[in-house]
Amino acid sequence: MEGALLTVAVSLLSLAVSIVLGLLGASAKLSGHPVLSALATVYTTVVRGVPELVLMLLVFYGGTIGLTHLLETLGHTEAVDINPFVAGVGTIGFIYGAYMTETFRGAMLAIPRGQMEAAWAFGMGRLQTFFRITLPQMVRYALPGFTNNWLVLIKSTALVSLIGLQDMTYLAKGTSALPRPLVRGDEFRVNIVS
């Protein structure tokens, strides 16, 4: 039960991180600003092209080494120990933020531009137009891709067991080594086989 609750917590927090990064990335890609658009394009291209396992290990182990080296350079002698929960949530959220960026960008592009222009003609600002016009319509276009990303994100939470977080996968692997309890009738089946 502890593993299941931890898996749900990692999934929900990673989803929240990925939604925020996805909305920011989609906004940057559609902003028309060349630097923001280029940064968002590099983010989505690189992150979606690197395996999740590599990023998880890079953030956890590489981040620990990098932060320790940085602190030593600044004159501090403390060792850095990254919390596996924070590393797992941050990494999975960062990875799926790239996928959500493309999902949200496609949903925003599916909304006719005239809808936003009409809102601006009525005196709405960009933020008000986003929350009153774009976001409600975007949800129905983004829902299929969003749910697909959510399901794959849940499956990806198994990777946190590699960095020592005791999620459902980690605990299930530990119980598979335990002997199976005898169930009524097992003796009979064993006798037939032998």
Side-chain angles (χ1 to χ4, degrees):
M1 189 64 168
E2 287 178 33
L5 291 174
L6 187 64
T7 299
V8 169
V10 169
S11 300
L12 290 175
L13 290 173
S14 297
L15 180 67
V17 170
S18 69
I19 289 171
V20 169
L21 289 176
L23 286 172
L24 290 173
S27 298
K29 279 188 127 176
L30 297 174
S31 69
H33 192 274
V35 174
L36 290 177
S37 183
L39 285 174
T41 301
V42 167
Y43 165 60
T44 57
T45 303
V46 170
V47 171
R48 292 185 313 153
V50 176
E52 298 162 359
L53 176 61
V54 172
L55 285 174
M56 181 72 67
L57 296 175
L58 184 67
V59 167
F60 186 68
Y61 294 110
T64 301
I65 293 168
L67 287 174
T68 301
H69 182 67
L70 178 68
L71 288 175
E72 285 175 357
T73 304
L74 296 173
H76 298 283
T77 57
E78 302 92 32
V80 175
D81 188 25
I82 295 177
N83 183 335
F85 183 81
V86 173
V89 167
T91 305
I92 293 173
F94 183 72
I95 292 166
Y96 285 93
Y99 290 97
M100 292 292 190
T101 294
E102 293 302 325
T103 300
F104 295 150
R105 185 188 65 82
M108 288 178 187
L109 289 174
I111 300 168
R113 180 120 176 113
Q115 302 262 336
M116 290 169 271
E117 290 171 355
W120 297 331
F122 275 108
M124 291 185 190
R126 291 198 178 271
L127 200 58
Q128 191 177 19
T129 301
F130 177 77
F131 284 108
R132 288 194 173 178
I133 307 297
T134 307
L135 186 64
Q137 293 183 67
M138 188 184 94
V139 169
R140 73 174 195 185
Y141 292 116
L143 196 58
F146 180 85
T147 54
N148 185 43
N149 288 333
W150 165 241
L151 292 173
V152 177
L153 184 147
I154 291 172
K155 292 191 306 185
S156 294
T157 59
L159 293 175
V160 298
S161 66
L162 297 173
I163 59 173
L165 198 59
Q166 297 184 355
D167 71 326
M168 220 163 39
T169 304
Y170 182 87
L171 294 173
K173 186 170 58 172
T175 60
S176 65
L178 298 175
R180 191 171 65 92
L182 285 178
V183 179
R184 188 171 174 202
D186 276 352
E187 304 84 14
F188 180 70
R189 279 189 231 119
V190 172
N191 289 335
I192 289 176
V193 174
S194 59

